Amino acid sequence: MTKPTVSCANCEKEFEEGFDFCPHCGQKSNDDLTIGVLFYNTISNYFSFDARFFKSFVPLMFRPGYLAKKFLEGKRLLFLHPAQMYLFISVIFFFILSFTVSDIAEKADSAMQKDKLESLAKKKDSIEEIKPVLDSLEIQSLMKPLKQNQKILGLKDEDLKIADSIIKTGRAGDKTYNTTFNYNERSVDSLIAINAEDNEIYQAMGMDEDAGYLTRKFYGQLLKFHRNRGASSIIMTFFNSIPIAMFFLLPLFALLLKIFYFNKGRYAHHLVFSFYYFSFLFMVFSIIFGLNRIWEIPDWIDWLVALSTFMYLFLALKNFYSQHWFWTLFKSGVISFTFLMMVIPTTIILLVMFSFLFY
């Protein structure tokens, strides 16, 4: 007796009725679209959020080096792929961290506003003693009649430049609103008010006329910061640059492993270890930041958990590379020191560069 068959909605091939999944393509035979199915499929397709994640989570947290070792042994379907694990956990980490960054940015803006108000209050009593200074609007109004009647007065272009220079000399004495970059905010504000060209504003901020591309870029970003008058944008840009820096940080860590374990496999093997180790780091700090959002954990506990990651590295290296504990302890210490002293400062420089140039 022939059993009834059904047609797969995905590959349109027929198979016997009663199968939960299509034997040809693997899609569920009864895959009614619900909200739960929709979001599960989305997460599963892009982050492989399935049973393998839960099978991988406990070994990742409590069996250092186990996942990387099993992956190289060929067990690559039982546990979550290292790159997928890293991607999924990093998304969780940066999502949780974004709340902390928002709080920091808000506090920074408040601190800047408070500092500015205090600075203005301190200088309020002495502002009358300062020599009256002409801003760009006033200079423009004084120069306008001279330019309009240049021919009548018999003035040359050089004469106008000299007159403009003489009028502007008064601005040099105005130090009432200097910033940490040591340029005159009042002059810059007046130039912005008359829609002056950016190049003229840059020079008012201290840029030389023959400045190169990077210097002009620097003053351009500085002008953006001046117009926004807030630290939150810089902080958020700095935060958004962290994933970019990780493209340098993780491969460099794998390179350090390759140097210290040069006879222990290819670079790709060390990269697998690095993916799992950084996944562990992101998960630990996700838990720390997440718990601190709910209730404030004592600082000594935060530091203790953070320092425990070094012990995790030692155990992971011992289990993964199977060397004597003394050499493993020595190498883990040197790798950690080198990583902190060289790689992280380099990454911070990259973060600042990306944050400032692309702000």
Side-chain angles (χ1 to χ4, degrees), residues 29-224:
S29 58
N30 184 18
D31 195 15
D32 293 334
L33 185 61
T34 63
I35 294 179
V37 171
L38 175 63
F39 282 99
Y40 174 82
N41 287 341
T42 302
I43 296 175
S44 177
N45 289 336
Y46 287 97
F47 302 108
S48 292
F49 186 80
D50 50 25
R52 289 183 299 163
F53 175 79
F54 296 105
K55 289 181 181 178
S56 305
F57 179 77
V58 173
L60 176 71
M61 301 302 295
F62 302 104
R63 301 187 68 178
Y66 176 82
L67 290 178
K69 190 171 184 178
K70 291 299 178 182
F71 186 85
L72 293 186
E73 289 177 357
K75 293 180 171 56
R76 300 177 184 178
L77 293 180
L78 182 61
F79 301 107
L80 195 60
H81 190 279
Q84 293 173 329
M85 172 77 80
Y86 171 78
L87 174 62
F88 179 73
I89 295 180
S90 64
V91 169
I92 296 176
F93 170 72
F94 288 115
F95 174 74
I96 295 175
L97 183 62
S98 64
F99 294 101
T100 302
V101 173
S102 297
D103 293 340
I104 295 174
E106 184 177 350
K107 291 179 181 178
D109 274 345
S110 299
M112 287 190 65
Q113 291 297 328
K114 182 179 179 181
D115 181 70
K116 190 174 183 67
L117 291 174
E118 290 178 354
S119 178
L120 291 174
K122 290 179 181 179
K123 295 171 182 177
K124 182 178 179 181
D125 297 334
S126 60
I127 197 168
E128 285 80 9
E129 299 176 5
I130 299 176
K131 179 182 176 180
V133 178
L134 301 176
D135 60 21
S136 296
L137 291 172
E138 295 168 331
I139 293 172
Q140 188 182 52
S141 63
L142 289 174
M143 290 296 299
K144 188 176 181 180
L146 295 178
K147 292 180 179 180
Q148 290 177 342
N149 299 283
Q150 180 180 356
K151 293 182 179 180
I152 299 176
L153 297 174
L155 298 175
K156 300 179 181 178
D157 291 339
E158 294 180 358
D159 298 328
L160 290 177
K161 290 182 180 180
I162 294 173
D164 182 72
S165 176
I166 293 173
I167 295 173
K168 287 181 177 179
T169 52
R171 292 194 299 173
D174 185 10
K175 301 297 181 182
T176 306
Y177 300 102
N178 277 358
T179 66
T180 55
F181 292 99
N182 197 31
Y183 68 86
N184 190 294
E185 289 190 21
R186 183 178 175 184
S187 297
V188 172
D189 288 336
S190 62
L191 288 170
I192 293 174
I194 63 172
N195 296 321
E197 294 183 358
D198 288 347
N199 191 58
E200 185 177 354
I201 300 177
Y202 297 160
Q203 292 183 22
M205 298 171 75
M207 187 190 76
D208 296 332
E209 293 185 9
D210 57 347
Y213 171 78
L214 290 178
T215 303
R216 290 180 181 276
K217 184 68 176 177
F218 174 84
Y219 279 98
Q221 299 303 99
L222 189 59
L223 179 57
K224 288 183 182 179

